Amino acid sequence: MTAVIAAQTMVSGCAIRPLPEEVTGVDTFGIVNQIRCEMRQSIRNTLVDYLTGGEGVDDPSRQIGRQLKASPDEITRFSPSALTGNARKLVSLFWSSGIAYNFELDMKLDNQLSASTSFLDKFPARLFELGVDASLDRSRQNTREFTVTDKVDNLIAHPPYGGCRGKIVGPNYIYPIAGQIGVEGMLHNFVYLSLLGNLAAKKDATGSAPTITETLNFETTISGTASPKVVFNPLPERSFRLAEAGLVAETKRIDTHKVIIGLSIPESANSDFRDARGQYEGQFLSATGDPTSLNAARAVDRSIARKAFQTVVHINTN
């Protein structure tokens, strides 16, 4: 594995413009599609988990969940209208939710090339040595930033270009962005917090639908060095000659990949799903709920404020 990574690093060192596929084996389009396919599978898994094991799901809806679990491909033709009772209302909101992915792929490549030579000349009483060194340093950087959006129902009915079969990969511990990044836990939390857990809209977004975002940062640094050297056999007679020559080639690549994933239920969810409750607008958060719940939110807001405006005094007695 070490030899493979070193070889990839040295080869990528020849690139004019660093690209993700030079070290990950997956181009930008492939990275995006893998993450969208991972999200699609996570949607299916979250839906099946809720229908088969969630509270308040009636028997007809639970049976549909068991069918989806047994036949994963049936998810493409699934519609919330097939459900009944409370499950139909909750899943309909989930099925109308929006997803946004913001990608920032930064690739920096540094190359240092240095050469050294040594010349000798023999004299009767002394030895003359002349050293000559030269170096060449190069640095290239490429940053790609873009945003992709999905809706849950559309992503399920219309998989990303090329389909998702064979696109669900495991974790890549060297270049995480090229493997499974773990969106299922985030999606599961969003669904249960927004539909069942009173997730509030963001501060300064009164009246908007609840949202959740998660930022994933991955950084990988790989370096390689090659240092061939030639030493020439000494000659007995006096002569000015090349004694040794060396070359040192160093390549260092830093890949910083950032993905921000945002999820939001429909704007109508505030009126269609939630009961009329009080609203608290604090300095750093907003929340909805009954008076007791709002008191708890107020305490949290005060705690955040104390940390934000806390004065720290350092006294040095030395």
Side-chain angles (χ1 to χ4, degrees):
M1 177 62 73
T2 303
V4 172
I5 294 173
Q8 288 180 326
T9 305
M10 298 304 289
V11 170
S12 69
C14 302
I16 297 296
R17 179 168 57 108
L19 298 171
E21 57 265 32
E22 292 164 352
V23 290
T24 65
V26 185
D27 61 15
T28 302
F29 185 73
I31 288 172
V32 173
N33 274 5
Q34 281 185 182
I35 292 176
R36 293 179 67 209
C37 285
E38 182 184 346
M39 178 63 77
R40 186 175 186 270
Q41 178 173 288
S42 300
I43 292 169
R44 175 196 166 275
N45 292 345
T46 300
L47 174 66
V48 169
D49 288 346
Y50 168 68
L51 292 179
T52 58
E55 295 182 6
V57 179
D58 55 34
D59 290 339
S61 298
R62 204 173 294 279
Q63 179 59 31
I64 291 175
R66 287 192 285 264
Q67 292 171 357
L68 291 173
K69 185 175 184 179
S71 304
D73 291 341
E74 291 297 316
I75 191 68
T76 304
R77 292 179 286 276
F78 170 77
S79 171
S81 61
L83 303 175
T84 55
N86 195 48
R88 180 173 182 172
K89 177 184 285 188
L90 291 174
V91 174
S92 293
L93 286 173
F94 175 38
W95 231 237
S96 300
S97 297
I99 310 168
Y101 322 77
N102 177 263
F103 292 84
E104 184 177 333
L105 310 179
D106 183 86
M107 297 137 285
K108 184 178 181 182
L109 185 61
D110 294 319
N111 299 118
Q112 288 82 40
L113 183 64
S114 60
S116 62
T117 56
S118 180
F119 296 89
L120 289 178
D121 200 352
K122 290 183 179 180
F123 293 91
R126 60 187 174 86
L127 181 66
F128 174 76
E129 181 177 357
L130 174 65
V132 179
D133 297 323
S135 64
L136 174 65
D137 295 341
R138 298 172 297 156
S139 180
R140 283 91 73 207
Q141 187 168 4
N142 181 21
T143 301
R144 288 179 174 175
E145 185 173 0
F146 55 93
T147 300
V148 177
T149 60
D150 275 321
K151 276 194 66 182
V152 169
D153 56 354
N154 189 64
L155 182 59
I156 291 295
H158 307 286
Y161 179 81
C164 287
R165 194 175 299 277
K167 301 289 180 63
I168 305 299
V169 297
N172 185 326
Y173 295 102
I174 298 176
Y175 285 96
I177 196 72
Q180 186 183 71
I181 62 172
V183 301
E184 185 165 337
M186 175 193 178
L187 181 69
H188 186 275
N189 288 334
F190 168 72
V191 169
Y192 278 80
L193 283 171
S194 62
L195 301 183
L196 302 172
N198 258 5
L199 180 67
K202 285 192 173 183
K203 175 74 178 116
D204 299 328
T206 306
S208 65
T211 61
I212 191 171
T213 61
E214 191 159 312
T215 302
L216 306 174
N217 288 287
F218 309 112
E219 181 173 309
T220 302
T221 302
I222 293 182
S223 59
T225 303
S227 53
K229 184 178 182 180
V230 178
V231 179
F232 296 91
N233 291 327
L235 298 176
E237 68 275 8
R238 176 186 170 186
S239 64
F240 183 74
R241 61 182 179 79
L242 178 63
E244 62 180 43
L247 181 70
V248 177
E250 298 183 24
T251 298
K252 182 179 181 181
R253 177 166 174 142
I254 302 176
D255 285 76
T256 304
H257 302 141
K258 180 179 178 180
V259 185
I260 302 176
I261 301 177
L263 296 160
S264 174
I265 61 175
E267 293 285 346
S268 61
N270 276 354
S271 57
D272 292 346
F273 180 68
R274 300 190 184 281
D275 298 325
R277 289 187 288 264
Q279 179 82 20
Y280 170 69
E281 290 294 327
Q283 288 180 283
F284 296 94
L285 62 82
S286 62
T288 57
D290 58 27
T292 303
S293 301
L294 296 183
N295 281 336
R298 191 174 292 108
V300 173
D301 189 55
R302 285 197 298 265
S303 177
I304 297 173
R306 281 196 299 269
K307 292 181 180 179
F309 298 110
Q310 180 176 340
T311 301
V312 179
V313 178
H314 297 280
I315 301 175
N316 190 343
T317 59
N318 294 333

